[in-house]
Amino acid sequence: DALARLTTIDLRAQSFGPGATTRSEFQHMHAAISCLEEDVFEVMVFSSMAGTLVHDLTVACTEIAARVGIAD
């Protein structure tokens, strides 16, 4: 869910399964996204954008946790 909030790529297994890799926009960054196994992804951005990637993923996960009631 968190990744789906940040990219327009269809990350469902039937569309982007294990072994698939693509370059795409990830939020506002250029990224390479790979599916390593079902529901396991690797997102690579330029090193100068690593902090922004972590921040954006943290915000997305926090929003999801709040929605389902598991936030701290």
Side-chain angles (χ1 to χ4, degrees):
D1 287 346
L3 294 180
R5 290 173 174 248
L6 302 173
T7 186
T8 58
I9 301 298
D10 183 357
L11 298 173
R12 294 175 295 175
Q14 63 267 31
S15 299
F16 196 76
T21 298
T22 191
R23 291 186 300 170
S24 180
E25 286 273 319
F26 193 83
Q27 189 71 339
H28 51 81
M29 301 167 273
H30 295 286
I33 304 168
S34 298
C35 181
L36 303 180
E37 55 187 80
E38 190 171 334
D39 293 328
V40 178
F41 298 91
E42 177 178 65
V43 179
M44 294 179 281
V45 297
F46 290 113
S47 60
S48 61
M49 300 303 293
T52 302
L53 173 66
V54 170
H55 170 78
D56 290 347
L57 284 170
T58 300
V59 169
C61 289
T62 301
E63 290 172 355
I64 291 168
R67 186 181 73 216
V68 297
I70 58 173
D72 352 76

